[in-house]
Amino acid sequence: MKVRFIDNVDISGKININKGETFEAREDGDFIMIRMKDDSTVKAPKSEIEGILESVEGE
């Protein structure tokens, strides 16, 4: 799935994502795996990013 962040987010104090950025992502239990622009993968706890991203399938 593709997700777009609807607010700025700081994941675990290490990664900053700006509002409007779009990434490939998938759910994995209590986490969301986000494919970053450099092809690395970030495992973000759903509890930290719930409500600040939206699905943008079809883009």
Side-chain angles (χ1 to χ4, degrees), residues 12-39:
S12 300
K14 298 177 183 174
I15 305 219
N16 293 308
I17 297 175
N18 296 316
K19 179 179 179 178
E21 287 191 88
T22 302
F23 297 92
E24 286 290 328
R26 69 178 175 87
E27 291 187 48
D28 183 19
D30 291 334
F31 295 89
I32 294 181
M33 306 295 284
I34 303 167
R35 175 75 60 171
M36 303 305 289
K37 303 292 184 196
D38 65 358
D39 285 333

Side-chain angles (χ1 to χ4, degrees), residues 1-5 11 17 21-29 31-37 39-46 49 52-57:
M1 75 176 149
K2 283 191 177 186
V3 294
R4 176 183 300 128
F5 284 82
I11 299 172
I17 297 175
E21 287 191 88
T22 302
F23 297 92
E24 286 290 328
R26 69 178 175 87
E27 291 187 48
D28 183 19
F31 295 89
I32 294 181
M33 306 295 284
I34 303 167
R35 175 75 60 171
M36 303 305 289
K37 303 292 184 196
D39 285 333
S40 63
T41 301
V42 174
K43 187 175 185 178
K46 285 182 184 177
I49 61 174
I52 56 174
L53 55 82
E54 62 185 355
S55 178
V56 290
E57 290 298 330

